[in-house]
Amino acid sequence: MQISELAGRAGVTVKAVRYYEQLGLVAPDRLPNGYRDYGDEQLRAVLEIRELAQTGIPPGKAAPFIDCLGSGHSRSDECPASVAAYREGIAELDAAIADLERRRAQLARRLAERDDSIPSPALGCGCDVTAS
């Protein structure tokens, strides 16, 4: 199938398919005229990349899953490298959540410190800036 058909069947753009090729995740055959020729294996890979992206695993980190499919497994997460990628993704999320919680605590602390020290607008604080 041509790239436009693959993209349509997988629910992605042609640009996305080309990006997956650049990453080495999809490797179509070439016809004698130089056109790319995609098969069911590439369709399955693109569908898997799309599904992984929906769970938070970006295409740049999808290689272990696509390699697992390419080695004959029925699921992309049946290989140790895929499980390791899941763990890495969870660790990255945990770090991001911890960072957000730290930042939230800082903001809450700063707000609490200011709430008591700022006069109400009715009393006038001498500021021209108002909350939006």
Side-chain angles (χ1 to χ4, degrees):
M1 75 187 88
Q2 292 183 348
I3 193 168
S4 58
E5 182 182 351
L6 173 72
R9 288 177 63 184
V12 300
T13 64
V14 169
K15 186 176 180 179
V17 175
R18 288 193 180 119
Y19 175 61
Y20 303 156
E21 283 185 53
Q22 289 175 348
L23 293 174
L25 300 172
V26 177
D29 293 329
R30 291 284 181 167
L31 297 174
N33 61 6
Y35 287 12
R36 294 171 177 94
D37 184 34
Y38 298 90
D40 290 338
E41 183 179 313
Q42 287 85 25
L43 175 60
R44 185 171 182 209
V46 172
L47 289 169
E48 184 65 22
I49 294 164
R50 183 172 174 229
E51 187 175 323
L52 289 167
Q54 291 173 349
T55 65
I57 297 174
K61 295 188 176 190
F65 300 93
I66 302 307
D67 291 346
C68 191
L69 285 177
S71 68
H73 290 273
S74 60
R75 291 179 41 117
S76 70
D77 57 4
E78 292 179 340
C79 299
S82 302
V83 174
Y86 279 152
R87 287 191 176 110
E88 181 181 320
I90 291 169
E92 288 174 2
L93 286 173
D94 287 344
I97 290 167
D99 184 54
L100 289 171
E101 287 175 341
R102 180 189 55 76
R103 290 171 48 196
R104 185 190 187 287
Q106 288 175 334
L107 286 170
R109 179 183 44 79
R110 290 181 67 142
L111 177 61
E113 290 171 356
R114 299 300 164 249
D115 275 349
D116 296 334
S117 65
I118 297 175
S120 71
L123 299 176
C125 67
C127 300
D128 292 334
V129 179
T130 58
S132 52

